[in-house]
């Protein structure tokens, strides 16, 4: 089975609160369906989560009562987004059901813990894809916290037999420097822990490659000798589909992870 995260930058317009990219999601669902592969999808929250989360400091956990209505609103918004995605999946012929992460996971000081995964495992056995997503989830020490789709990917990759991991984002992959400001920036077709270390030391404190370094770190954690993790641009028509068909596409492959 392949696990795919549809990033918030692809499925939503991150600059506008609750703006869904319906056309893009519809195309990606068709590309997934046409691949004929067994796939598990996780999605990000994009502007359905990040806008209010930032405004109310939800990532820091509970600190004041006025955060509570925002924490509830985000969970409403992410469920709304998830249902829109499921609608596109069903239209493409993919049997899928949205499963809020708070129903089978809790966090402990930001670490995601799978507490009750029987239902999602049973759904998968039935041939119905359980779709989880980045959301506000309860936290044993902080009250609540932000569970990202990337964290869910790591936990689900342990729970299921996952042969390949794909992160669908709005960038072509990992560059040696920020391509927006540095003309000499090169796209890396593959990355290993040593190369990442080198880019990190050269890029200084700021994540100049556009917030992608921590994602690549997670990708390296998830990659094994037998499991590649790929970062691919989902805003380009057909690229995910080509990758799923095994074609060579513009992307970054994380190889030779820590396990
Ligand atoms: C974020 O999840 C969840 C919330 C902000 C509530 P992700 O981190 O997976 O979302 P994207 O992909 O960055 O939008």
């Amino acid at each position: 089975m392949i696990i795919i995260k549809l990033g918030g930058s692809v499925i939503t317009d991150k600059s506008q609160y609750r703006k869904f990219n319906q056309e893009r999601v519809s195309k990606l669902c068709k590309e997934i369906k046409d691949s004929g592969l067994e796939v598990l999808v996780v999605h990000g929250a994009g502007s359905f989560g990040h806008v209010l989360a930032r405004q109310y400091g939800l990532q820091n956990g509970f600190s004041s009562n006025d955060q509570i209505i925002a924490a509830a609103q985000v969970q409403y918004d992410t469920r709304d987004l998830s249902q829109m995605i499921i609608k596109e999946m069903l239209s493409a012929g993919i049997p899928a059901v949205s499963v809020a992460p708070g129903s089978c996971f809790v966090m402990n000081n930001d670490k995601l813990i799978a507490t009750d995964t029987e239902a999602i495992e049973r759904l998968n056995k039935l041939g119905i894809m359980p779709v989880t997503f980045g959301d506000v989830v309860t936290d044993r020490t902080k009250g609540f916290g932000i569970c990202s789709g990337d964290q869910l990917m790591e936990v689900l990759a342990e729970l299921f037999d996952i042969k390949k991991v794909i992160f669908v984002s709005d960038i072509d992959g990992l560059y040696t420097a920020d391509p927006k400001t540095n003309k000499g920036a090169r796209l890396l077709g593959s990355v290993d822990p040593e190369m990442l270390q080198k880019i990190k030391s050269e890029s200084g404190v700021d994540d100049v490659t556009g917030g992608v370094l921590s994602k690549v770190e997670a990708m390296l954690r998830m990659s094994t000798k037998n499991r590649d993790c790929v970062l691919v641009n989902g805003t380009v028509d057909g690229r995910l589909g080509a990758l799923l068909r095994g074609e060579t596409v513009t992307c970054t492959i994380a190889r030779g992870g820590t396990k």
Side-chain angles (χ1 to χ4, degrees):
M1 186 155 61
I2 295 180
I3 188 164
I4 300 178
K5 182 192 170 193
L6 301 178
S9 57
V10 179
I11 59 176
T12 76
D13 178 343
K14 275 196 149 178
S15 66
Q16 266 185 73
Y17 176 54
R18 285 184 54 102
K19 179 91 174 71
F20 180 50
N21 287 340
Q22 190 254 335
E23 206 184 315
R24 178 54 43 203
V25 173
S26 163
K27 285 181 178 171
L28 290 169
C29 290
K30 285 197 188 82
E31 289 177 32
I32 291 170
K33 172 66 185 173
D34 290 347
S35 75
L37 297 170
E38 212 194 320
V39 166
L40 188 62
V41 169
V42 171
H43 67 81
S47 59
F48 288 67
H50 286 287
V51 177
L52 286 187
R54 198 175 307 121
Q55 204 174 319
Y56 288 86
L58 301 184
Q59 69 284 1
N60 303 322
F62 176 79
S63 57
S64 73
N65 281 329
D66 59 327
Q67 288 176 309
I68 293 301
I69 188 77
Q73 181 68 45
V74 169
Q75 290 177 75
Y76 175 86
D77 290 342
T78 53
R79 278 154 189 71
D80 237 10
L81 169 66
S82 201
Q83 287 298 78
M84 292 181 213
I85 291 168
I86 298 295
K87 189 174 171 198
E88 298 306 323
M89 287 187 163
L90 291 171
S91 300
I94 303 171
V97 64
S98 175
V99 179
S103 60
C104 39
F105 300 95
V106 294
M107 293 198 293
N108 192 8
N109 208 13
D110 287 332
K111 184 176 162 32
L112 189 62
I113 298 162
T115 48
D116 187 2
T117 54
E118 184 181 343
I120 56 174
E121 289 175 74
R122 286 192 182 282
L123 278 168
N124 185 58
K125 273 207 192 90
L126 270 179
I128 298 177
M129 186 203 297
V131 176
T132 60
F133 48 88
D135 201 2
V136 169
V137 167
T138 56
D139 188 303
R140 287 174 183 160
T141 47
K142 297 167 70 177
F144 57 75
I146 300 290
C147 156
S148 74
D150 294 17
Q151 283 170 289
L152 287 163
M153 292 282 279
E154 288 196 55
V155 172
L156 292 171
E158 295 304 311
L159 199 62
F160 293 99
D161 182 21
I162 302 293
K163 298 272 183 284
K164 193 178 198 137
V165 180
I166 300 176
F167 284 89
V168 179
S169 187
D170 64 344
I171 49 171
D172 282 341
L174 177 68
Y175 286 83
T176 50
D178 185 353
K180 288 194 191 98
T181 54
N182 192 325
K183 277 220 172 75
R186 255 185 330 110
L187 179 72
L188 293 166
S190 69
V191 61
D192 60 27
E194 292 79 56
M195 286 159 80
L196 184 70
Q197 209 43 52
K198 191 162 174 280
I199 295 169
K200 271 175 96 176
S201 60
E202 282 167 10
S203 65
V205 191
D206 287 334
D207 190 348
V208 293
T209 49
V212 75
L213 288 180
S214 57
K215 186 177 291 296
V216 174
E217 273 174 349
M219 287 171 62
L220 284 168
R221 279 198 299 275
M222 294 174 78
S223 75
T224 65
K225 270 193 225 69
N226 306 312
R227 185 165 73 198
D228 284 346
C229 291
V230 187
L231 179 60
V232 67
N233 194 337
T235 67
V236 180
D237 282 357
R239 195 172 284 176
L240 175 65
L243 177 69
L244 292 172
R245 285 194 300 278
E247 292 169 21
T248 305
V249 299
T250 301
C251 64
T252 297
I253 304 174
R255 285 213 173 95
T258 39
K259 272 181 261 166

